[in-house]
Amino acid sequence: GVTQSPTHLIKTRGQQVTLRCSSQSGHNTVSWYQQALGQGPQFIFQYYREEENGRGNFPPRFSGLQFPNDSSELNVNALELDDSALYLCASSPSGGSTDTQYFGPGTRLTVL
Amino acid sequence: AQSVTQLDSQVPVFEEAPVELRCNYSSSVSVYLFWYVQYPNQGLQLLLKYLSGSTLVKSINGFEAEFNKSQTSFHLRKPSVHISDTAEYFCAVTRGSTLGRLYFGRGTQLTVWP
């Protein structure tokens, strides 16, 4: 399945953070979502074969990387209080709109 | 733009009672529809999805949803719920294009009481 690390993270405003995800074997697409408390997940971006394939309404301080070994990262610079949320990664076989996306358990980020 | 509306933020029911979780969407293009379930401290799991064909789709654990194009709805139903169905349920859509970007509703917390 899809795994994410760390489970929980506490940072202060202005710091930088890196979240990690390991996709399901054989999946070449990873998507990242932000889930604020009491809200549904919001699409951040998608990576397909190591290139950004689409982006939601998030500023450039949100960036990502996808590696050939089924792992990926979400980086957030200059953290703000509103970045506190559950961050979910999801992998899928091809990233198409009919694909089932398989979600990890998430990383809970708290910004103080 | 796409939007998904889940009309009920919380639905409390007793065990063995029927339940309906409502979902409406707005889109100017064709969409694919999904229901995901999130148990406490876990990621989202696909419950069922509608892509094409029969408008009634079913999951392996007794849930079903019906795509209604005229009412732009995809309500989730179960005739008899169990305590283990207690979870957060999210309705989501993707556009009929190549990018699998999910647009989620705000979620409905289903709580089943004994």
Side-chain angles (χ1 to χ4, degrees):
Chain A
V2 180
T3 59
Q4 292 185 244
S5 63
T7 305
H8 295 87
L9 203 52
I10 299 174
K11 292 286 188 178
T12 56
R13 196 170 48 181
Q15 285 189 309
Q16 179 266 342
V17 69
T18 297
L19 310 182
R20 293 179 174 83
C21 172
S22 179
S23 299
Q24 193 157 313
S25 180
H27 287 183
N28 55 29
T29 303
V30 64
S31 302
W32 286 89
Y33 293 83
Q34 180 196 66
Q35 186 179 9
L37 202 61
Q39 305 291 323
Q42 298 289 316
F43 176 78
I44 302 175
F45 44 55
Q46 182 185 89
Y47 277 79
Y48 174 73
R49 292 184 175 175
E50 302 162 46
E51 293 201 3
E52 189 178 295
N53 189 40
R55 190 177 186 91
N57 189 26
F58 282 82
R61 60 189 184 83
F62 285 78
S63 63
L65 286 171
Q66 185 186 25
F67 303 102
N69 63 350
D70 296 334
S71 67
S72 59
E73 291 180 354
L74 165 65
N75 298 288
V76 187
N77 294 322
L79 283 167
E80 300 178 359
L81 297 179
D82 285 349
D83 295 334
S84 294
L86 180 68
Y87 288 85
L88 298 164
C89 80
S91 72
S92 59
S94 64
S97 54
T98 60
D99 272 7
T100 295
Q101 295 192 29
Y102 295 84
F103 284 81
T107 293
R108 174 75 61 187
L109 173 64
T110 302
V111 182
L112 303 176
Chain B
Q2 280 64 238
S3 71
V4 179
T5 303
Q6 293 184 246
L7 295 167
D8 306 299
S9 60
Q10 301 206 26
V11 173
V13 295
F14 287 108
E15 194 174 19
E16 298 183 5
V19 71
E20 177 180 81
L21 308 183
R22 296 179 290 172
C23 172
N24 289 88
Y25 68 92
S26 64
S27 176
S28 57
V29 299
S30 62
V31 296
Y32 302 110
L33 296 146
F34 304 77
W35 275 99
Y36 278 85
V37 58
Q38 187 175 34
Y39 298 102
N41 301 315
Q42 295 186 29
L44 282 75
Q45 302 172 29
L46 180 71
L47 195 57
L48 46 75
K49 64 182 180 182
Y50 171 77
L51 303 180
S52 65
S54 173
T55 57
L56 183 66
V57 290
K58 300 184 179 184
S59 73
I60 58 173
N61 58 352
F63 283 94
E64 63 181 34
E66 185 154 23
F67 169 58
N68 187 318
K69 188 174 182 179
S70 63
Q71 297 187 3
T72 60
S73 68
F74 191 55
H75 301 331
L76 183 69
R77 301 183 182 95
K78 189 171 185 180
S80 176
V81 294
H82 303 292
I83 290 178
S84 60
D85 293 325
T86 295
E88 186 99 29
Y89 291 79
F90 292 94
C91 181
V93 305
T94 59
R95 291 178 58 181
S97 62
T98 56
L99 177 64
R101 170 180 177 170
L102 284 162
Y103 296 84
F104 284 91
R106 296 183 64 168
T108 298
Q109 173 64 45
L110 173 65
T111 303
V112 181
W113 298 99

